[in-house]
Amino acid sequence: MGIQITPSILNADFARLGEEVSRIPGADWVHVDVMDNHFVPNLTLGPTMVEALARSTDLPIDAHLMIEDADRNAAAYVEAGAASVTFHVEAAKAPVRLAREIRAGGARASMALRPATPIEPYEELLPELDMLLIMTVEPGFGGQRFLDLCLPKIRAARAMLDRHGIETWLQVDGGVSLETIERCAEAGADTFVAGSAVYSADDPDRMVAELRAAAEAVRA
Ligand code: DX5
Ligand code: ZN
C-alpha cells in the first residue's frame, strides 16, 4: 500500500464545499466528517450532503461516521455514494455484520477506534475490514492537538496486520500535520487524514503534496 492523503473538509468553508474540494485535486480521497451531536458534541452533515458532494467531485468520498446506532445509520452513506464508510466500533452493536453490509453495498468497510479504545479485542475482526482508523484526537472537532499516546496503538495495529498478512489500510485522523505525520508513518500508518493542516494552508493542494512527501520519506 502506498501513502494516501485524505483531506478533511471539516475546517473548510461549509458555504462553498464544492469549491473547497476542487482546491485539492492532488488528494487521494475527500474525508467527510459526519457528526450527530450525540456520539460527539458537534453536528455537521448527513447523507443528502454526502450525495451532493459525491456528485460534485471525481475524488472518492471517505465518510467518517461519528454517529450513534451505526448499525442502522451507516447504510444511508453507502447509498449516498461514499466509496469508503467508517463506523466507530463504540457505536456499533454488531461490527462484523455491519462491515459485511457495507461491503455488500459496494463500499469499502472501515472501523474507527477512539483514543481510549484498545485494538486487541478486535484483532480477529481485521480481515473483515478494508481500513482501520485509529483516532489521534478525541473525535468531534478539527484543529485539536495530536495525541502521542495513540502511537503505540498504531504500532500494535501495524504488527497485527502484518502478522495476518492482510491488506487492510491503516488510517490516522486528528492533529495530522507536517509536524506529526512522520511519527504516524514511522508507527505504520499508510492513510492520513488532515483537516486544518490542509485547509489553513495558503495552497491546500501544495500542502497535500508536502504531507505526502513527508510520509513517503519515512517509508523510503
Ligand atoms: C475529528 C475529525 C477529523 C478532523 C481532523 O473528529 O474526525 O477528521 O476533521 O481535523 P484536524 O486535522 O484539524 O485535526
Ligand atoms: Zn474524521
Side-chain angles (χ1 to χ4, degrees):
M1 237 319 286
I3 297 295
Q4 300 193 87
I5 306 294
T6 304
S8 159
I9 53 166
L10 186 60
N11 277 38
D13 181 349
F14 263 49
R16 304 183 301 122
L17 278 186
E19 245 174 88
E20 292 283 73
V21 171
S22 71
R23 295 172 74 200
I24 49 163
D28 298 288
W29 295 78
V30 185
H31 182 88
V32 177
D33 290 301
V34 176
M35 304 185 183
D36 67 352
N37 204 28
H38 291 275
F39 185 72
V40 289
N42 195 1
L43 184 64
T44 55
L45 44 79
T48 312
M49 282 292 290
V50 170
E51 196 181 344
L53 272 170
R55 259 188 281 113
S56 79
T57 176
D58 290 337
L59 293 176
I61 305 282
D62 170 30
H64 176 194
L65 308 184
M66 286 159 277
I67 58 177
E68 283 185 352
D69 203 356
D71 306 72
R72 287 204 316 165
N73 294 319
Y77 296 89
V78 178
E79 280 159 33
S84 174
V85 174
T86 300
F87 61 87
H88 267 266
V89 69
E90 305 88 354
K93 290 191 189 75
V96 173
R97 182 167 63 212
L98 180 53
R100 290 183 179 187
E101 280 172 6
I102 292 169
R103 280 178 161 179
R108 295 177 60 88
S110 163
M111 189 176 86
L113 309 181
R114 299 181 77 131
T117 304
I119 179 66
E120 284 75 15
Y122 304 108
E123 178 164 358
E124 276 67 40
L125 248 86
L126 294 175
E128 300 286 334
L129 303 172
D130 296 300
M131 185 168 78
L132 176 70
L133 165 53
I134 297 194
M135 291 301 300
T136 43
V137 298
E138 283 291 356
F141 302 94
Q144 302 182 78
R145 243 181 97 104
F146 181 84
L147 294 172
D148 280 285
L149 60 87
C150 300
L151 288 168
K153 184 162 46 175
I154 301 169
R155 272 188 211 104
R158 169 49 58 202
M160 284 177 194
L161 292 170
D162 291 351
R163 196 159 60 236
H164 289 266
I166 49 182
E167 296 286 295
T168 306
W169 299 349
L170 184 53
Q171 187 180 56
V172 287
D173 179 11
V176 175
S177 68
L178 283 177
E179 199 204 312
T180 57
I181 194 167
E182 287 160 351
R183 274 174 256 173
C184 299
E186 186 276 326
D190 51 34
T191 307
F192 303 85
V193 177
S196 49
V198 169
Y199 278 99
S200 67
D202 291 332
D203 183 344
D205 203 45
R206 186 169 162 178
M207 179 54 69
V208 169
E210 286 175 10
L211 288 166
R212 188 189 304 286
E216 278 172 354
V218 173
R219 274 284 180 94

